[in-house]
Amino acid sequence: MKKITFLILSALILSTFSWQVGAQTYAGSGTPSPIPATGTGGFPCTGGPTVSSANVPLAGVIGTNPGEYQITSLAFDITHSWASDIDLTLNTPGGSTLDITSDNGGNSGFDTRAVLTIRDDAPTVVSSWTSGTPSANGYRAEAGLLNTLLAGQTVNGNWTINICDDAGGDPGTLHGYNITF
């Protein structure tokens, strides 16, 4: 009887915390949006940044301890003729700003839609990206390991990206953005 009671109690406890096991993805708002927000771009951010926010309703913090969340990936669905024109930053609900990629990707572009994926477990840093088509394996953020840099920060709130086109004459489009915990 004690063994059955223990198994039932264990199952109840595990089912209570099952929400933390699966990946949860949150999409950014306002897409598709032009890159830059208006005009054709230029240094430093002529035409203003393209902005998209993902509202994350989770309660908790970023970290590596049990019960803490980790950013599994950031994904950006983009069309732009020159990948190296793009400067992309992430603003957290806690007020931190991280450089995801600045002027990387070489002189070719995303002439067709491409998904740029950022993951802490990716094999290379995005600054090593030299061709317009992003790696299927993704990249680590230019600022460093997201979960290490953001350890202890709240997950709840708006995770906002800003994309600037720092060279004029060739606008693009942000088709989508999402963040997965």
Side-chain angles (χ1 to χ4, degrees):
M1 184 66 171
K2 287 183 182 181
K3 190 172 188 176
I4 293 172
T5 303
F6 174 75
L7 291 174
I8 292 171
L9 183 58
S10 296
L12 286 171
I13 290 170
L14 288 175
S15 68
T16 301
F17 295 103
S18 65
W19 59 269
Q20 292 182 347
V21 176
Q24 298 176 58
T25 300
Y26 300 92
S29 61
T31 58
S33 296
I35 302 171
T38 62
T40 61
F43 186 79
C45 193
T46 304
T50 299
V51 178
S52 181
S53 293
N55 187 334
V56 177
L58 303 174
V61 297
I62 302 284
T64 57
N65 298 315
E68 294 178 328
Y69 290 95
Q70 290 192 352
I71 298 173
T72 305
S73 69
L74 296 170
F76 311 96
D77 181 355
I78 297 173
T79 304
H80 198 285
S81 57
W82 291 83
S84 62
D85 288 0
I86 293 173
D87 293 343
L88 193 153
T89 58
L90 174 69
N91 298 316
T92 70
S96 293
T97 299
L98 298 177
D99 184 23
I100 301 302
T101 183
S102 292
D103 303 319
N104 297 303
N107 294 335
S108 56
F110 314 115
D111 292 327
T112 57
R113 286 171 66 166
V115 176
L116 174 63
T117 304
I118 304 296
R119 300 185 346 241
D120 277 0
D121 64 351
T124 56
V125 177
V126 72
S127 60
S128 67
W129 170 33
T130 58
S131 68
T133 302
S135 166
N137 297 320
Y139 297 96
R140 292 188 309 271
E142 199 162 346
L145 299 175
L146 298 175
N147 293 305
T148 301
L149 294 168
L150 300 174
Q153 288 201 28
T154 184
V155 176
N156 182 268
N158 287 322
W159 291 79
T160 304
I161 60 163
N162 291 297
I163 303 175
C164 288
D165 178 337
D166 64 5
D170 55 347
T173 303
L174 172 67
H175 298 282
Y177 144 67
N178 66 52
I179 185 168
T180 302
F181 292 91

